[in-house]
mmCIF file of all heavy atoms in Angstrom:
data_model
loop_
_atom_site.group_PDB
_atom_site.id
_atom_site.type_symbol
_atom_site.label_atom_id
_atom_site.label_comp_id
_atom_site.label_asym_id
_atom_site.label_seq_id
_atom_site.Cartn_x
_atom_site.Cartn_y
_atom_site.Cartn_z
ATOM 1 N N ILE G 313 -19.699 111.858 -47.716
ATOM 2 C CA ILE G 313 -18.506 112.441 -47.364
ATOM 3 C C ILE G 313 -18.192 113.599 -48.329
ATOM 4 O O ILE G 313 -18.176 113.376 -49.535
ATOM 5 C CB ILE G 313 -17.325 111.477 -47.277
ATOM 6 C CG1 ILE G 313 -17.616 110.396 -46.125
ATOM 7 C CG2 ILE G 313 -15.975 112.202 -47.043
ATOM 8 C CD1 ILE G 313 -16.505 109.234 -46.212
ATOM 9 N N ASP G 314 -17.967 114.827 -47.835
ATOM 10 C CA ASP G 314 -17.829 115.947 -48.695
ATOM 11 C C ASP G 314 -16.469 115.992 -49.298
ATOM 12 O O ASP G 314 -15.417 116.140 -48.742
ATOM 13 C CB ASP G 314 -17.941 117.172 -47.800
ATOM 14 C CG ASP G 314 -18.032 118.465 -48.654
ATOM 15 O OD1 ASP G 314 -17.714 118.429 -49.897
ATOM 16 O OD2 ASP G 314 -18.326 119.569 -48.138
ATOM 17 N N PRO G 315 -16.470 115.764 -50.713
ATOM 18 C CA PRO G 315 -15.210 115.782 -51.410
ATOM 19 C C PRO G 315 -14.476 117.150 -51.349
ATOM 20 O O PRO G 315 -13.243 117.146 -51.761
ATOM 21 C CB PRO G 315 -15.551 115.367 -52.844
ATOM 22 C CG PRO G 315 -17.012 115.610 -52.959
ATOM 23 C CD PRO G 315 -17.625 115.658 -51.556
ATOM 24 N N GLU G 316 -15.143 118.223 -50.987
ATOM 25 C CA GLU G 316 -14.458 119.478 -50.913
ATOM 26 C C GLU G 316 -13.606 119.509 -49.606
ATOM 27 O O GLU G 316 -12.653 120.260 -49.577
ATOM 28 C CB GLU G 316 -15.514 120.633 -50.838
ATOM 29 C CG GLU G 316 -16.401 120.772 -52.092
ATOM 30 C CD GLU G 316 -15.652 121.193 -53.312
ATOM 31 O OE1 GLU G 316 -14.624 121.807 -53.162
ATOM 32 O OE2 GLU G 316 -16.077 120.754 -54.386
ATOM 33 N N VAL G 317 -14.015 118.757 -48.676
ATOM 34 C CA VAL G 317 -13.349 118.732 -47.410
ATOM 35 C C VAL G 317 -12.327 117.540 -47.310
ATOM 36 O O VAL G 317 -11.206 117.760 -46.753
ATOM 37 C CB VAL G 317 -14.286 118.720 -46.172
ATOM 38 C CG1 VAL G 317 -13.555 118.724 -44.829
ATOM 39 C CG2 VAL G 317 -15.338 119.806 -46.323
ATOM 40 N N TYR G 318 -12.759 116.499 -47.776
ATOM 41 C CA TYR G 318 -11.969 115.216 -47.615
ATOM 42 C C TYR G 318 -11.464 114.652 -48.918
ATOM 43 O O TYR G 318 -12.057 114.827 -49.971
ATOM 44 C CB TYR G 318 -12.745 114.128 -46.905
ATOM 45 C CG TYR G 318 -13.075 114.461 -45.470
ATOM 46 C CD1 TYR G 318 -14.343 114.921 -45.084
ATOM 47 C CD2 TYR G 318 -12.089 114.392 -44.424
ATOM 48 C CE1 TYR G 318 -14.626 115.252 -43.736
ATOM 49 C CE2 TYR G 318 -12.400 114.690 -43.142
ATOM 50 C CZ TYR G 318 -13.633 115.091 -42.785
ATOM 51 O OH TYR G 318 -13.945 115.439 -41.444
ATOM 52 N N SER G 319 -10.387 113.983 -48.806
ATOM 53 C CA SER G 319 -9.887 113.120 -49.939
ATOM 54 C C SER G 319 -9.346 111.806 -49.433
ATOM 55 O O SER G 319 -9.195 111.714 -48.217
ATOM 56 C CB SER G 319 -8.895 113.927 -50.775
ATOM 57 O OG SER G 319 -7.831 114.352 -49.927
ATOM 58 N N GLY G 320 -9.082 110.899 -50.326
ATOM 59 C CA GLY G 320 -8.558 109.648 -49.831
ATOM 60 C C GLY G 320 -7.898 108.878 -50.930
ATOM 61 O O GLY G 320 -7.919 109.247 -52.073
ATOM 62 N N PHE G 321 -7.155 107.851 -50.473
ATOM 63 C CA PHE G 321 -6.631 106.935 -51.436
ATOM 64 C C PHE G 321 -7.172 105.538 -51.300
ATOM 65 O O PHE G 321 -7.538 105.212 -50.098
ATOM 66 C CB PHE G 321 -5.112 106.977 -51.485
ATOM 67 C CG PHE G 321 -4.449 106.333 -50.329
ATOM 68 C CD1 PHE G 321 -4.368 104.919 -50.232
ATOM 69 C CD2 PHE G 321 -3.748 107.109 -49.320
ATOM 70 C CE1 PHE G 321 -3.734 104.321 -49.097
ATOM 71 C CE2 PHE G 321 -3.188 106.530 -48.317
ATOM 72 C CZ PHE G 321 -3.144 105.093 -48.125
ATOM 73 N N ALA G 322 -7.158 104.715 -52.245
ATOM 74 C CA ALA G 322 -7.665 103.328 -52.126
ATOM 75 C C ALA G 322 -6.687 102.475 -52.919
ATOM 76 O O ALA G 322 -6.064 102.932 -53.886
ATOM 77 C CB ALA G 322 -9.085 103.246 -52.670
ATOM 78 N N PHE G 323 -6.531 101.190 -52.570
ATOM 79 C CA PHE G 323 -5.840 100.298 -53.328
ATOM 80 C C PHE G 323 -6.517 98.900 -53.240
ATOM 81 O O PHE G 323 -7.173 98.657 -52.281
ATOM 82 C CB PHE G 323 -4.321 100.175 -52.885
ATOM 83 C CG PHE G 323 -4.129 99.728 -51.396
ATOM 84 C CD1 PHE G 323 -4.035 98.347 -51.148
ATOM 85 C CD2 PHE G 323 -4.011 100.704 -50.438
ATOM 86 C CE1 PHE G 323 -3.833 97.985 -49.808
ATOM 87 C CE2 PHE G 323 -3.847 100.286 -49.116
ATOM 88 C CZ PHE G 323 -3.756 98.917 -48.768
ATOM 89 N N GLY G 324 -6.226 98.064 -54.194
ATOM 90 C CA GLY G 324 -6.715 96.684 -54.229
ATOM 91 C C GLY G 324 -5.597 95.766 -54.458
ATOM 92 O O GLY G 324 -5.263 95.484 -55.604
ATOM 93 N N LEU G 325 -4.992 95.280 -53.399
ATOM 94 C CA LEU G 325 -3.886 94.455 -53.470
ATOM 95 C C LEU G 325 -4.250 93.014 -53.932
ATOM 96 O O LEU G 325 -5.192 92.346 -53.340
ATOM 97 C CB LEU G 325 -3.165 94.369 -52.092
ATOM 98 C CG LEU G 325 -1.918 93.498 -51.997
ATOM 99 C CD1 LEU G 325 -0.680 94.406 -52.064
ATOM 100 C CD2 LEU G 325 -1.881 92.650 -50.816
ATOM 101 N N GLY G 326 -3.582 92.515 -54.926
ATOM 102 C CA GLY G 326 -3.794 91.111 -55.378
ATOM 103 C C GLY G 326 -3.114 90.270 -54.411
ATOM 104 O O GLY G 326 -1.908 89.849 -54.658
ATOM 105 N N LEU G 327 -3.828 89.693 -53.468
ATOM 106 C CA LEU G 327 -3.187 88.884 -52.423
ATOM 107 C C LEU G 327 -2.643 87.630 -52.915
ATOM 108 O O LEU G 327 -1.448 87.233 -52.676
ATOM 109 C CB LEU G 327 -4.189 88.687 -51.272
ATOM 110 C CG LEU G 327 -3.674 88.068 -49.962
ATOM 111 C CD1 LEU G 327 -2.511 88.808 -49.451
ATOM 112 C CD2 LEU G 327 -4.817 88.113 -48.897
#
Side-chain angles (χ1 to χ4, degrees):
I313 291 172
D314 186 351
E316 299 293 333
V317 182
Y318 292 104
S319 54
F321 71 77
F323 62 87
L325 181 103
L327 191 49

